[in-house]
Amino acid sequence: MLEHGGRLRRAAQQYGIPLAEWLDLSTGISPWPWNLPEIPANAWMRLPEDDDGLEAAARRYYGAEQLLPLSGSQAAIQLLPKLRPAGRVGVLSPCYAEHAEAWRSAGHDLREVGDHDVAHQLEHFDVLVVVNPNNPTGRRIEPGVLLEWHARLQARGGWLVVDEAFMDCTPEQSLVASCASRPGLVVLRSFGKFFGLAGARLGFAFAEPGLLARLAQLLGPWSVSGPTRWVAQAVLGNFHEHIERRRDLAEASRRLAGLLGEHGFAPQGGTSLFQWTVSMQSHALRDHLARQGILVRLFETPASLRFGLPPDEDGWQRLEQGLRTFNQMESLR
């Protein structure tokens, strides 16, 4: 299993701090709960049905006709490599590590490439995978650039796979509404990040109908639970609250960037849901914060930390104190 954020129970055991006393900033998931409807009993008692309204609500929210609900976008990440014969796959890195692992495990010849290498290496790939906005760097690639890459790949029967898990805060930059049904283009979206409902395990794939049908066949029936389908319909349809949530997340992210900068850890990138800072002190700071009951996400290459958003003023004060005491300790060395 690859390393991921959110493993709070393991941190609680490792540092001897009760689970309830932790401030979890490790996931890049919206820290605020959503107003959820009451789930009717039949959502629990009956098998899920495809015509219950979820697909219609998702079409309205994303502005796309062709889509497939999934048990989290992770399901598509693991299954897409099985829909192509073994080939040459490029993954724009660093990014969410499950992409490279899935294609490599399925027998594809995988190469991780940097931003500046894609343009002149694209002809060597049958598939290119891009996370946009990127996790953890926050890097964004303009839609026009992505569509140029897609055209070059599709001309040779290739695919461009774009993971837009963190795109809900900037929907105007998404490829879903205008381009997602083009042959050779696959776009993935996550429900858990923006809506703060990672436990629901819901995501969507957007692609041409034939590819979605093949993916659905691999998924099998009932891939999304009835309660999740019920809750998601209500949440996806609350457009007024979507606007307010985007505004609040953007403000909190700017505050987080400022706080990190004040303490010598100015971010090198980020989104409305997290900030990312590169530092040779990453390991030491992660450990120091963990001893204060604050969990952040450590990355090894490059040595860096991803900070999610505190949920309340107490969380902001705890993070500020943790950063300040770290610098005080470092100054005494």
Side-chain angles (χ1 to χ4, degrees), residues 7-127:
R7 293 185 174 176
L8 200 57
R9 294 182 184 277
R10 186 174 66 178
Q13 293 174 356
Q14 179 181 353
Y15 289 92
I17 299 173
L19 193 66
E21 297 179 14
W22 281 83
L23 173 63
D24 186 5
L25 306 180
S26 69
T27 64
I29 294 171
S30 176
W32 305 312
W34 206 269
N35 293 322
L36 300 180
E38 183 178 352
I39 300 174
N42 63 6
W44 297 100
M45 299 170 66
R46 296 177 58 85
L47 288 172
E49 298 184 71
D50 293 342
D51 58 355
D52 63 357
L54 172 61
E55 282 82 354
R59 290 187 188 103
R60 288 191 294 271
Y61 175 76
Y62 292 108
E65 285 299 314
Q66 305 297 332
L67 59 85
L68 177 67
L70 312 153
S71 53
S73 55
Q74 179 66 36
I77 291 171
Q78 292 181 228
L79 292 177
L80 282 172
K82 299 180 181 181
L83 296 180
R84 290 187 65 96
R88 302 164 300 174
V89 178
V91 174
L92 192 55
S93 296
C95 74
Y96 181 56
E98 292 286 351
H99 285 288
E101 179 65 18
W103 289 94
R104 186 183 292 112
S105 296
H108 296 268
D109 179 14
L110 185 118
R111 181 183 303 174
E112 299 189 45
V113 294
D115 294 7
H116 303 295
D117 300 323
V118 175
H120 65 269
Q121 292 197 27
L122 197 58
E123 305 305 323
H124 298 294
F125 299 134
D126 303 304
V127 176

Side-chain angles (χ1 to χ4, degrees), residues 254-270:
R254 287 191 291 269
R255 179 179 178 181
L256 178 59
L259 178 62
L260 292 170
E262 289 172 9
H263 292 276
F265 295 97
Q268 279 73 46

